[in-house]
Amino acid sequence: MLDLAIEERKDFVYTKSKQRKALKCDTDSISGAVSQRACVYCGARVVLNPITDAVHLVHGPIGCASYTWDIRGSLSSGSELYRNSFSTDLKEQDVIFGGEKKLTKAIEELVQKYRPRLVFVYSTCVVGVIGDDLEAVCRAMAAKHNIEIIPVQSSGFVGNKSMGYRAACDSLLRLIEPRRGQKIVKRKNCLNLMGDFNLAGETWIIKEYLNRMGLALNVAFTGDAKYETLKTATQASLNIVQCAGSMMYLAKKFEEKYGTPFLRVSFVGIEDTVESLRRIAKAINDQSVYEKTEELIAVEMEKTIPVIQEYGKALQGKKAAVYVGGGFKAISLIKQFKELGIEVVMIGTQTGGPEDYAAINDLVEEGTVILDDANPAEIERFTLEKGAHLLVGGVKERPLAYKLGLAFIDHNHDRKHPLCGFDGAVNFAREVYSTVCSPVWKYV
Amino acid sequence: MSETNTHFRNVNENPCNMCMPMGGILALKGIEKTMVIIHGSQGCSTYMRRHISEHFNEPVDVASSSLNEKGTVYGGEENLKKGLDNLRKVYHPDFIGILTTCLAETIGEDIERIAQEYVRERDLSQDLVVAVPTPGYGGTHTEGYFLTIRRIVAKLAKKTQKHSRINVIIPNISPADIRELKRILSLMDIGYILLPDVSDTLDAPYSRLYHKIPEGGTPLAHIRAMSGAVATVELGITVDDSLSAGKYLEEEYGVPLYRLPLPMGIENTDLFLRTLGEITGKGVPRGLELERGRLLDCMIDSHKYNFQGRCAVFGETELVYAISTTCLENGIFPAVIATGSRNERLGALLAKSLQEGGSNYVLLNDTDFAHIREQCKIMKVNLAIGSSEGRYLTEREGIPLVRVGFPVHDQVGGQRILSLGYQGTMAFLDRITNTLLDNKHQNYRSSLYRKYFVG
Ligand code: SF4
């Protein structure tokens, strides 16, 4: 049993041993623990923000919008509207007398100015408490302007980040719902990609793979997504789900409502990429797709493997600590590190579920520390105790790693290089090499 | 001139300010062995930590009471107390700041009472905890910053014996700037109490041993002694009296108050040194005189280039004021002056010198970047000065940005940007002049070709 300063944290952390133990997860953060997690609004905003031609309006005080203004690296092939941060900027008076009027006027102004076909209105903490009727305001404005205005129920205190994913998915479901009487026609060999946000062009990389396999990418949720294309989502014959944490819910609902099957995939690391491509081909079950897929894999592997092996030589025997947002990413990272000859000695996530932790448990060596909803004190302690040479994380973890004198790998949403697919695997290996083998560590 | 007050607009498009608790965190991070807990939902503290972290490239630990639905309905008192317990177990702070968020304020949490009860129940010192109401909708991070300092002083300063040090209260400036101020004070051989001091806590040197709370910050004992100082120099002329810690010390303890602009530019720096001289009777040392001479030399070297500058200045009021006056001194005309705060003093303070500058300008209060961008086009601005948030002016309008202030999160070194004192002004001026020169070098060939060859 690990001895932690905060008693309530004990069930969230354990060291892998022969005796398997279920980890506590998917629950609220503990007060005063300095969790690395954000809130419901954050979860919703991450998922929806990559929709490029929508107005994303934050209904609340200014801070919430300030801190989320264009901080993600999602790329667009068209509109740049999504890179703005719109807020109703509630002030004291609005909190006392209600913010519905201001919201109405804000939508009015934005519609006049940008003529969008789609507006998302996010609720924040205050709005949830003062009880503004978002639904009613959105409905009235939508009818008036004949566009879609969708409320996102993302008040910060109603749960953790996962609740925000849920809220975003609910909004997406509303958006893709076919009009009454409209017939759903499924297109063959046509896929939706869920849980990819086109960070540094990752959606485009996957799209190219699919094309080379003889498949078409219909809609990506939500990387480089547009109003127009989102509306065709029901036409896909298969959904592939990458970031399961955020999109599993959508995939399941999709299956329920429109009978579209789904498949969990991961394009993080060579092993998972190859396996995912094969599983997609299998699900499509078409001889020519099989062949093209194998061809694609062969071509890419030949280019990639030697490069990765070269980097791997310098990295043998190093140890990594991982703290990322979602469970599936964590799992893939363990495998990816194995490809480089690196052992993961500490691993945790912000929003992983019980199955994720079970899978993680099966993959890691005995002695690895597994933890949910960690805080800086725990990350510090276990990376040091376990002798990690590098830490994987986001913006908040980076300075901590550096202060501890450790190499650091960005797996955050504002990175400028892709980490998915074969190119991504090379980028990853190069990044690990460039940080672990930097001369700077000689001096610290 | 025109002064536009936009605070009646209904939508803020690309914010030029942050919320109150953000300022509170920045102030508290400058106090020795201090931890901060934000009373509200988890997201606020995480977002603010992230924002601060990116600017300073430092770990920034801030706890949250992680209010959930239950806490919101039945009150978050228990959450907050538990949070305080947990935070003390992990961090062992000597001082704790509790800040509220929108959520806590909207549900009417009385953190002052909760804090008092907490220290009583746990049998702790009354002075361990300061509670500051900082609703996000109550003002910008600038107001949050000054209010928090005032509250800290009100909490800790006690009637003490008179001593010979002077209080120096500063706005949110870079660690490099704080170090420069301290260097100047030391050169003049002046004993001082500087509040708040993030020069080590948010720009900590690498050391083998990691400290969960970084070393440095204004010592608590110093804050307690502020009431006995010979004078207070508050670098906050744009700050409202109700937010001024210097005013508080003057009213409660009769410490004479000098409110000055940031010592940036020749006049402001002269004024700062002159005032220090008046208070202490000490003259300006030779070293600083030489620096002044070098700054003058630098100003002469660049004056012609700078005359082509028409800039937009935006950000926190104190810095905006100091930058604007420095620009004016150097022939660079601040055509658009903007702040996300609602501040009455700024415009009045600048009006005279701007009118003397002879050209039209706009002053935007409580503004956003959509508005700033629009005005930059109208006013034909060719240089932007302020935080990273102005990068859109470059991306969309091709106006180069000289980064200064908070936050600078798209480049490294936000904590190392030096702009104060004679030396800092030189560095600042060089950055500006070279940006204007780059501008020129980049297109003079093509523009002359177009004008005279193509015709
Ligand atoms: S504006 Fe209010 S709810 Fe938003 S981050 Fe600031 S304190 Fe939190």
Side-chain angles (χ1 to χ4, degrees), chain A residues 28 31-32 35-37 42 61 66-67 69-70 83-87 109 113-114 125-126 157 395 403 444, chain B residues 10-14 17 19 22 41 46-47 49 54 58 64 68-69 79 83 86 102 204 208 392 395:
Chain A
D28 292 343
S31 176
S35 163
Q36 304 290 85
R37 260 187 203 160
C42 164
S66 262
Y67 308 129
W69 176 20
D70 198 25
R83 294 184 56 206
N84 292 296
S85 196
F86 302 112
S87 164
E109 266 181 39
K113 186 166 171 188
Y114 294 102
C125 290
V126 176
F157 57 88
V395 182
K403 273 286 179 293
V444 304
Chain B
N10 297 303
V11 51
N12 182 312
E13 232 183 286
N14 300 335
N17 58 274
C19 60
M22 166 64 100
S41 72
T46 305
Y47 273 132
R49 286 175 62 202
E54 274 197 323
E58 294 286 317
S64 163
N68 55 16
E69 200 138 28
N79 265 61
N86 284 336
C102 294
R208 204 138 251 289
Y392 279 68
E395 193 183 315

Side-chain angles (χ1 to χ4, degrees), chain A residues 61-64 67 124-126, chain B residues 19 21 44 48 100-103 134-137:
Chain A
I62 199 65
C64 311
Y67 308 129
T124 55
C125 290
V126 176
Chain B
C19 60
C44 307
M48 288 178 231
T100 51
T101 59
C102 294
L103 180 59
T134 47
Y137 50 76

Side-chain angles (χ1 to χ4, degrees), chain B residues 415-428:
Chain B
Q415 72 276 47
R416 289 184 284 271
I417 296 176
L418 173 69
S419 324
L420 292 194
Y422 299 127
Q423 295 218 106
T425 304
M426 251 184 302
F428 174 73

